[in-house]
Amino acid sequence: MAGKRHRGWRTFLTNKYLKDKEKKFVEYDPEYPVKYAIFITEEEWVAFVDQRRDENFKKVSATNRERASNPTYAYKKGRLGYARLEEKILDETKSDATSLPPHVLWKEARVGKDGTVRDDVQHIYDECETLSQSISTAEDQENRSVLSRALNVPEYPGRVRGKGHGCTPTSLYKNPRRRNPSNQEVMETLQALQAQVLQLQKDNERYRCMEKCSSQLKETSEKASINCQNKFPEGISSCQLYLSSPTYRLVGKGKVHNTSGDLLHHRPLPDGHLKVSVDVVLDKDALLPIPDIVSETTLLRDAIGSFVAWPLDLIFIDDETPTKPASKDNGILRHNESVASQKEVFAQGSQQLSQKIGSRQKNKRDLPVTSLPKKGAFVPRYQISLETLVDSSDMATAGAIRLLDMEEDIFGYSCTETIGKEDLEHIFRHQELGVGVIHTYIRFLYDNFMRGNDQLSNRFRFVSSSLVNKALICREPDSCREYLVKRFMASSTNNLYLWPYNSGCHWLLLAIDPLKEVVYFLNSIDGEWTNYPDMKQLVDTSIKVFRSQRQARVPRTKSSNITWIKVQCPLQRNGIDCGYFVMRFMREIINMNQIEIPITYFDEYKCAHYTRLQLEQIKEELCQYFIEKRLISI
């Protein structure tokens, strides 16, 4: 604006002191304007007069005056100006935009009072619309705009054609000024690159070590890889997993797959190994016998819910009694001693964490369980009945399993859950639970609460722990994200997705509302979600992809933030109950029929810790469900 005023003032001086009434330059020397001495000195006045009388200046001035008097595309809005015209158009259209494209504003500025648009103006506008579809935004900003291209005129620096006086490319496009980096910035960039190279060298060295460890185990021949091992019953059997170093000990439980032609991650099994699915981890620091090179998984707890290769001599079917090697008598840890000691240490740590929350008021009401005796005379009659059925059926022998069909409405896809004798033993002996038991209880909740109840079935949904767990998040993050996004896209209203997540040796519950972009975090050992960065990154990314696919408009202040809420739920006092707590959390959330979970948990179920009776109620429901579904029969 100052430059425009200055040019106008110089034109005023020229017309008043250097030209006559006919607008022609005078021949005599004009007098010095004393009244403007405060603005211009005598020397500056002499230079100004010489510059204005110069023939080149007169020629350029005449050309510009002639062009301005007869423009090709005349401006029709008088003194309104581009800025006020743009503001007027946005107010009339009630648009949420903050500005108009230059070619749109250029066209509107050339519409007469009668509303007609000249053909040549409309032609330029149409050509701009065509160019805007084929020219990228970066090319539009860094080179000529579509309006300059359509008019076929050069773009002058310091202005934007079609946007009026005072608008520059920097202010319109927010382009940062380019400058050469300083020496300090160059050195910082060089140091960062050197650190990346060093990290890549370390990763390469670690990869080679893992490759060397894997190559030391000779792969079987094609003939050997398609045959079953005679030591184990053919098919799928529940088993115990041992390690011999540094001490001979039980480290986990799962199922051994002794099937013809079985491959591990599309590769033949190493010689002397079988494919094993990990269900329960008893030693959280145990290493895998063969690390997974693809996902860089080295710990057993990171492989829960997935398949690994395990040495034959360290796999024992449930009815077998493992014998210790003679050379390791001094270092053997018996089954009961190993598990009990680990649980005792974990329980002490959990109890210390739980004391931070303090005691809460007792439950106001409890879960309704059919024919459940009162607290003082509790007898687990369904557990006793089911255990009797198991002992009297083929489930008493190793390798016997039951298959439970999971409908598509439960997890978004049809599947079959495998239940073995060991899964039932976990319930009878109150031990750590595997994926099969958690999924069976989800089927119980669906059958007994949600089936036929449109309000609950349209409000609550489940996420499969078999398709999204820690091992798969590390190995196949894309497939985990695609599954979550597909589950979220299946809902048209607000839904709460209940996801039991196993971090390797611990169960916790996530309740996700993808439309509100809220994640409720329920952890029975008082841990933070920041302790599970892979899980949190997967959930955040899935919600953002879901937001993009449904084309939701989110304020800029929230565009990168997903709301995570840590619920002050009841805490466990040992290292075993996490699976039972997760099942009860899901039961209570569905029973309350609320999408929003209070940060202090539901008043009806608020307590510092669940009692053993409250957990036995969940086990009774599971056992009753097994009996009623006739999954175990003589």
Side-chain angles (χ1 to χ4, degrees):
M1 182 61 68
K4 184 177 181 181
R5 292 291 181 87
H6 183 251
R7 288 193 297 272
W9 183 57
R10 290 166 66 92
T11 302
F12 163 76
L13 292 176
T14 302
N15 293 333
K16 182 173 180 62
Y17 294 97
L18 302 184
K19 293 183 179 181
D20 55 20
K21 295 181 180 180
E22 297 178 358
K23 301 300 179 183
K24 294 182 180 181
F25 281 92
V26 297
E27 298 295 335
Y28 56 87
D29 293 334
E31 62 180 6
Y32 171 67
V34 180
K35 63 182 301 184
Y36 300 120
I38 190 175
F39 301 116
I40 184 171
T41 64
E42 293 186 9
E43 292 79 7
E44 290 174 338
W45 173 254
V46 173
F48 173 72
V49 172
D50 293 341
Q51 185 261 345
R52 291 287 165 153
R53 285 180 170 180
D54 184 74
E55 294 299 328
N56 291 331
F57 175 81
K58 292 180 179 181
K59 183 177 180 181
V60 172
S61 179
T63 303
N64 291 339
R65 187 165 53 251
E66 181 181 359
R67 183 176 59 184
S69 63
N70 188 24
T72 306
Y73 307 100
Y75 185 84
K76 300 287 188 179
K77 297 303 178 181
R79 302 185 56 166
L80 186 60
Y82 278 102
R84 284 181 288 178
L85 174 62
E86 183 177 43
E87 183 179 352
K88 177 182 178 182
I89 295 173
L90 293 175
D91 290 341
E92 291 178 351
T93 58
K94 296 181 180 180
S95 174
D96 295 333
T98 57
S99 63
L100 296 173
H103 66 279
V104 175
L105 190 59
W106 179 86
K107 173 191 172 183
E108 293 297 328
R110 282 151 183 81
V111 177
K113 294 183 179 179
D114 56 356
T116 59
V117 182
R118 286 171 39 184
D119 293 340
D120 53 350
V121 173
Q122 185 65 41
H123 173 72
I124 295 297
Y125 174 80
D126 294 339
E127 188 172 350
C128 289
E129 287 289 311
T130 304
L131 288 174
S132 62
Q133 302 298 324
S134 58
I135 299 177
S136 64
T137 304
E139 184 180 4
D140 183 15
Q141 296 176 11
E142 296 178 2
N143 204 338
R144 295 190 301 164
S145 65
V146 293
L147 181 57
S148 298
R149 294 168 185 269
L151 293 172
N152 195 23
V153 293
E155 191 64 273
Y156 297 98
R159 77 172 194 182
V160 178
R161 187 178 297 275
K163 294 296 286 186
H165 181 76
C167 183
T168 64
T170 302
S171 63
L172 178 63
Y173 301 119
K174 308 298 182 184
N175 284 338
R177 294 183 177 180
R178 299 181 180 180
R179 61 180 181 86
N180 294 329
S182 63
N183 293 337
Q184 182 180 357
E185 291 174 339
V186 172
M187 293 302 298
E188 291 177 353
T189 303
L190 180 60
Q191 292 175 1
L193 291 175
Q194 290 175 344
Q196 292 180 10
V197 171
L198 182 61
Q199 184 62 38
L200 289 174
Q201 290 175 347
K202 291 181 180 180
D203 293 343
N204 187 38
E205 183 178 355
R206 182 176 61 177
Y207 177 82
R208 288 185 177 182
C209 291
M210 296 175 66
E211 187 73 29
K212 182 178 180 181
C213 177
S214 178
S215 62
Q216 289 176 353
L217 298 170
K218 183 179 178 181
E219 292 188 352
T220 58
S221 63
E222 183 178 354
K223 180 178 180 180
S225 65
I226 64 173
N227 294 328
C228 301
Q229 297 291 335
N230 295 329
K231 176 184 175 181
F232 301 95
E234 186 174 357
I236 304 175
S237 307
S238 298
C239 66
Q240 300 174 357
L241 306 176
Y242 282 75
L243 286 179
S244 58
S245 176
T247 56
Y248 192 80
R249 67 200 188 281
L250 176 67
V251 295
K253 300 180 181 181
K255 297 180 179 64
V256 58
H257 295 251
N258 190 28
T259 309
S260 298
D262 228 351
L263 301 176
L264 179 64
H265 307 319
H266 309 290
R267 297 180 180 178
L269 286 165
D271 188 18
H273 291 68
L274 276 180
K275 185 168 76 171
V276 170
S277 59
V278 182
D279 292 335
V280 177
V281 175
L282 303 178
D283 185 348
K284 62 180 181 179
D285 297 323
L287 298 174
L288 289 173
I290 302 180
D292 191 332
I293 299 176
V294 177
S295 64
E296 297 186 359
T297 301
T298 58
L299 295 176
L300 179 62
R301 68 187 183 195
D302 295 337
I304 192 168
S306 62
F307 295 99
V308 297
W310 208 270
L312 294 173
D313 58 342
L314 296 178
I315 303 175
F316 295 91
I317 303 301
D318 277 345
D319 59 348
E320 296 181 1
T321 302
T323 57
K324 58 185 178 181
S327 60
K328 295 185 180 288
D329 286 351
N330 295 331
I332 186 172
L333 295 177
R334 291 185 301 169
H335 173 193
N336 292 335
E337 293 175 351
S338 174
V339 177
S341 62
Q342 294 174 44
K343 293 176 182 176
E344 183 179 358
V345 173
F346 188 86
Q348 293 174 358
S350 299
Q351 189 169 7
Q352 293 174 359
L353 289 173
S354 64
Q355 292 175 354
K356 297 179 181 178
I357 292 185
S359 60
R360 302 170 183 164
Q361 55 178 319
K362 295 183 179 180
N363 286 2
K364 296 183 179 179
R365 67 183 177 94
D366 220 331
L367 292 173
V369 180
T370 306
S371 305
L372 185 67
K374 295 182 179 180
K375 181 176 181 180
F378 175 71
V379 178
R381 62 188 186 90
Y382 285 111
Q383 297 180 50
I384 296 174
S385 300
L386 182 62
E387 191 169 5
T388 302
L389 285 174
V390 170
D391 293 338
S392 303
S393 67
D394 62 331
M395 290 291 288
T397 61
I401 60 174
R402 291 294 186 270
L403 301 179
L404 179 63
D405 293 332
M406 307 294 286
E407 302 176 17
E408 183 177 357
D409 291 340
I410 300 177
F411 293 130
Y413 68 101
S414 300
C415 61
T416 302
E417 195 64 50
T418 303
I419 305 297
K421 178 186 176 183
E422 181 172 292
D423 294 316
L424 302 176
E425 289 290 340
H426 293 162
I427 302 174
F428 301 149
R429 308 292 175 254
H430 198 82
Q431 297 174 345
E432 296 92 338
L433 299 179
V435 178
V437 176
I438 300 294
H439 281 187
T440 301
Y441 192 76
I442 288 177
R443 174 64 190 270
F444 160 77
L445 294 176
Y446 180 80
D447 286 344
N448 289 271
F449 288 88
M450 301 168 64
R451 188 187 299 276
N453 188 330
D454 293 338
Q455 186 181 20
L456 289 178
S457 60
N458 291 332
R459 179 167 289 185
F460 300 100
R461 300 174 186 268
F462 300 98
V463 174
S464 171
S465 301
S466 298
L467 289 190
V468 190
N469 52 57
K470 179 169 179 61
L472 289 177
I473 291 175
C474 296
R475 184 185 301 117
E476 303 174 10
D478 293 340
S479 63
C480 294
R481 184 182 64 252
E482 291 174 2
Y483 169 67
L484 284 180
V485 174
K486 184 178 180 181
R487 288 294 288 148
F488 296 160
M489 292 296 293
S491 60
S492 57
T493 58
N494 281 97
N495 294 117
L496 197 63
Y497 288 82
L498 303 179
W499 173 21
Y501 174 73
N502 195 301
S503 63
C505 56
H506 173 65
W507 286 102
L508 55 89
L509 181 66
L510 296 179
I512 307 173
D513 186 342
L515 284 178
K516 292 184 178 179
E517 300 186 355
V518 175
V519 182
Y520 299 97
F521 181 80
L522 293 87
N523 192 352
S524 57
I525 60 172
D526 197 27
E528 302 291 339
W529 62 71
T530 53
N531 298 333
Y532 312 96
D534 295 333
M535 174 270 292
K536 183 180 184 303
Q537 182 180 5
L538 172 68
V539 174
D540 289 346
T541 304
S542 301
I543 291 178
K544 290 178 182 178
V545 173
F546 168 67
R547 176 201 303 163
S548 175
Q549 290 192 6
R550 66 187 181 91
Q551 299 179 350
R553 303 183 65 179
V554 179
R556 291 183 178 180
T557 56
K558 185 177 171 57
S559 61
S560 60
N561 296 327
I562 309 298
T563 303
W564 283 72
I565 299 176
K566 180 183 177 182
V567 179
Q568 298 176 14
C569 54
L571 301 179
Q572 64 188 82
R573 289 179 284 191
N574 56 34
I576 302 173
D577 290 343
C578 56
Y580 304 97
F581 272 61
V582 165
M583 291 191 294
R584 187 168 178 104
F585 289 157
M586 292 190 293
R587 174 72 146 80
E588 292 172 346
I589 291 172
I590 295 177
N591 192 51
M592 291 304 298
N593 193 15
Q594 294 183 19
I595 291 292
E596 297 182 0
I597 303 177
I599 191 173
T600 57
Y601 206 54
F602 302 109
D603 290 337
E604 289 79 353
Y605 302 118
K606 189 179 296 184
C607 60
H609 316 282
Y610 285 141
T611 64
R612 184 59 181 267
L613 176 62
Q614 289 174 299
L615 301 184
E616 289 294 334
Q617 292 175 351
I618 302 298
K619 294 166 62 176
E620 279 288 276
E621 288 183 329
L622 260 174
C623 294
Q624 182 179 359
Y625 184 69
F626 276 112
I627 296 173
E628 291 178 351
K629 295 293 291 186
R630 299 185 180 275
L631 293 177
I632 311 298
S633 58
I634 302 177

